[in-house]
């Protein structure tokens, strides 16, 4: 046994070993109290802007933040569906239009729903503008039903 090996073992057993053992013990105790999860944070649902009072700026701000989170989630869903559709088209090749109908329908439905809800709002949209767009769309639909009847 050389002197370098002896010094390495001496440092390991006197410094590194006890420090690693104590740190492992502390981390295990911490995980028991506050487990660390590797998935996204769950936010509690807040009331929509339609439930907020007129001067309640905090409620309106929370509704806007909820709106923005929902919009990002829906954008990610559409991105995942698009990626799934692209993978299907690449793997199936020539027969993709026949074999990837389900993926195509899912993507088209999700993108149509996204466009219906968020289309023409712009990037800096708010939950109030989205609510007004929904209200106008519902009024148009009612008007079209009356004209059709």
């Amino acid at each position: 046994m050389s002197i370098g090996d002896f010094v390495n073992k001496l440092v390991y057993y006197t410094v590194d070993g006890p420090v690693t053992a104590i740190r492992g013990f502390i981390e295990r105790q911490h995980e028991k109290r506050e487990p660390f999860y590797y998935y996204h944070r769950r936010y509690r649902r807040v009331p929509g802007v339609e439930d907020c009072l007129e001067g309640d700026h905090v409620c309106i701000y929370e509704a806007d933040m909820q709106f923005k989170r929902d919009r990002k989630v829906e954008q990610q869903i559409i991105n995942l569906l698009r990626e799934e559709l692209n993978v299907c088209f690449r793997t199936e090749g020539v027969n993709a239009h026949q074999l990837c109908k389900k993926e195509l329908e899912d993507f088209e439905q999700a993108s149509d729903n996204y466009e219906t809800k968020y289309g023409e709002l712009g990037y800096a949209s708010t939950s109030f503008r989205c609510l007004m767009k929904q209200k106008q769309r519902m009024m148009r639909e009612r008007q079209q039903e009356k004209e059709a009847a």
Side-chain angles (χ1 to χ4, degrees), residues 19 22 24 40 51 57-58 68 78 81 88 101 107 120:
V19 169
I22 291 171
H40 63 85
D51 297 330
H57 298 292
V58 174
K68 289 179 181 180
I78 289 176
L81 289 172
C88 183
K101 282 185 180 179
F107 173 72
E120 300 175 359

Side-chain angles (χ1 to χ4, degrees), residues 4-143:
D5 291 337
F6 177 75
V7 171
N8 284 341
K9 286 186 179 182
L10 180 69
V11 169
Y12 175 75
Y13 286 116
T14 58
V15 178
D16 190 35
V19 169
T20 304
I22 291 171
R23 180 180 174 136
F25 175 76
I26 292 172
E27 286 178 352
R28 284 191 304 274
Q29 297 303 316
H30 183 68
E31 286 176 3
K32 288 180 185 176
R33 284 185 282 134
E34 300 173 16
F36 182 73
Y37 300 108
Y38 289 98
Y39 49 85
H40 63 85
R41 180 177 172 188
R42 292 192 124 187
Y43 293 96
R44 66 178 182 82
R45 296 294 297 184
V46 297
V49 73
E50 66 273 4
D51 297 330
C52 295
L53 298 177
E54 190 172 329
D56 193 0
H57 298 292
V58 174
C59 181
I60 293 171
Y61 175 77
E62 287 180 344
D64 282 342
M65 293 299 108
Q66 182 72 50
F67 170 77
K68 289 179 181 180
R69 281 193 299 268
D70 290 344
R71 187 173 184 169
K72 284 182 182 179
V73 167
E74 291 184 26
Q75 285 174 346
Q76 288 300 318
I77 289 171
I78 289 176
N79 288 339
L80 289 172
L81 289 172
R82 181 183 297 121
E83 185 176 317
E84 185 178 317
L85 181 65
N86 288 338
V87 167
C88 183
F89 272 109
R90 280 195 305 266
T91 56
E92 298 303 333
V94 179
N95 299 326
H97 291 287
Q98 296 170 351
L99 299 174
C100 298
K101 282 185 180 179
K102 182 187 177 303
E103 288 84 358
L104 184 61
E105 289 173 2
D106 290 344
F107 173 72
E108 286 177 350
Q109 182 182 7
S111 59
D112 288 344
N113 290 339
Y114 182 85
E115 186 63 31
T116 301
K117 186 172 183 181
Y118 301 109
E120 300 175 359
L121 284 178
Y123 177 74
S125 60
T126 62
S127 58
F128 185 74
R129 287 184 64 193
C130 184
L131 179 68
M132 290 300 111
K133 179 182 176 189
Q134 181 182 5
K135 183 185 88 168
Q136 290 170 358
R137 182 175 50 87
M138 291 174 69
M139 288 172 54
R140 263 195 318 269
E141 288 174 358
R142 286 183 186 170
Q143 185 67 27

